[in-house]
Amino acid sequence: ELKVEQNPLFLSMQEGKNYTIYCNYSTTSDRLYWYRQDPGKSLESLFVLLSNGAVKQEGRLMASLDTKARLSTLHITAAVHDLSATYFCAVEPVSYSGAGSYQLTFGKGTKLSVIP
Amino acid sequence: KAGVTQTPRYLIKTRGQQVTLSCSPISGHRSVSWYQQTPGQGLQFLFEYFSETQRNKGNFPGRFSGRQFSNSRSEMNVSTLELGDSALYLCASSRLGLAGGIYTDTQYFGPGTRLTVL
């Protein structure tokens, strides 16, 4: 059974600070996604990481993937209040041929609060 | 381009009743997945449909079922509702595309249907 663990689950940080959210998963050959969810809202796709060493950046967020360590990180640089939300990582098993399973297993989410 | 739409947005039912939720995917998307989100269990995969066929199913009882129509719209049904079925039900659609030279299917989520079972 695929397990996805995120930590921390809760993160309170001051504006301007840097921090990293970690996502560990238990199987290999996977695709990894990061999503953002605002209170009462749906999930917004942030990043898709497809291969070992993949790094994606968008504004103050940067995601990376280490498939050998089965670890993805979401790094926040110089946090601003607008980044307050819950961040989920999700893993999609893929076959040896690279075909996706369309079945995402999510971590519990990291609730980020950025304090002005 | 319109996003994934779900109806209704809010629903209140009583135990023992059944409910049907609807999802219209993004135009051109043929895969539709359903997820249940609760505070205790988090986000859990229910099932996925492609071209009217269920390809994957999560670990949920048979009371949870779904179907997909020829226009890719999908419905999910929950029969004999239990209190524990209260949740946000999210639908996601995806279309095979290229990202970084690799085929992938990012799932785009709808706003969800908030189901409350009394």
Side-chain angles (χ1 to χ4, degrees):
Chain A
E1 179 188 349
L2 171 59
K3 293 188 187 302
V4 181
E5 291 188 358
Q6 273 183 251
N7 68 84
L9 297 183
F10 298 93
L11 178 55
S12 180
M13 55 191 298
Q14 288 187 317
E15 280 192 330
K17 298 293 186 182
N18 304 333
Y19 210 83
T20 300
I21 299 170
Y22 297 89
C23 175
N24 290 90
Y25 56 97
S26 61
T27 66
T28 58
S29 302
D30 300 308
R31 296 177 188 149
L32 194 132
Y33 303 82
W34 284 95
Y35 286 91
R36 167 182 172 147
Q37 187 176 39
D38 291 291
K41 304 286 188 179
S42 187
L43 298 171
E44 174 191 355
S45 176
L46 294 174
F47 301 108
V48 181
L49 301 170
L50 302 174
S51 59
N52 189 41
V55 177
K56 296 278 186 73
Q57 182 161 8
E58 182 72 34
R60 300 174 188 273
L61 300 178
M62 182 174 71
S64 66
L65 178 62
D66 182 343
T67 57
K68 293 178 182 176
R70 301 176 192 175
L71 170 68
S72 180
T73 60
L74 181 66
H75 187 73
I76 303 155
T77 302
V80 292
H81 181 67
D82 286 351
L83 290 179
S84 297
T86 299
Y87 293 85
F88 292 92
C89 65
V91 176
E92 178 191 11
V94 297
S95 70
Y96 68 91
S97 67
S101 65
Y102 298 84
Q103 178 172 343
L104 299 183
T105 298
F106 284 84
K108 291 290 188 185
T110 297
K111 186 173 182 179
L112 172 65
S113 297
V114 181
I115 305 165
Chain B
K1 193 174 187 180
V4 178
T5 59
Q6 292 185 247
T7 56
R9 294 291 311 279
Y10 302 91
L11 207 49
I12 300 175
K13 292 286 188 179
T14 57
R15 280 181 300 175
Q17 288 187 309
Q18 76 166 19
V19 67
T20 299
L21 312 182
S22 181
C23 171
S24 293
I26 294 171
S27 178
H29 288 197
R30 295 171 62 189
S31 169
V32 174
S33 301
W34 289 88
Y35 294 83
Q36 181 196 64
Q37 185 175 27
T38 60
Q41 298 300 315
L43 280 151
Q44 293 183 286
F45 171 79
L46 280 157
F47 26 65
E48 186 259 346
Y49 288 88
F50 183 86
S51 292
E52 303 178 64
T53 300
Q54 185 183 92
R55 297 195 297 184
N56 282 303
K57 189 177 194 302
N59 189 25
F60 278 81
R63 300 185 297 107
F64 292 82
S65 63
R67 59 177 175 168
Q68 187 181 36
F69 302 95
S70 58
N71 62 357
S72 294
R73 190 176 69 84
S74 177
E75 290 181 346
M76 68 163 281
N77 184 276
V78 188
S79 62
T80 319
L81 284 166
E82 300 177 0
L83 295 179
D85 296 334
S86 295
L88 179 67
Y89 290 88
L90 293 165
C91 165
S93 76
S94 59
R95 174 183 62 86
L96 188 65
L98 273 174
I102 301 172
Y103 281 100
T104 183
D105 297 47
T106 296
Q107 296 193 17
Y108 296 91
F109 284 80
T113 294
R114 174 78 60 185
L115 172 64
T116 301
V117 182
L118 303 176

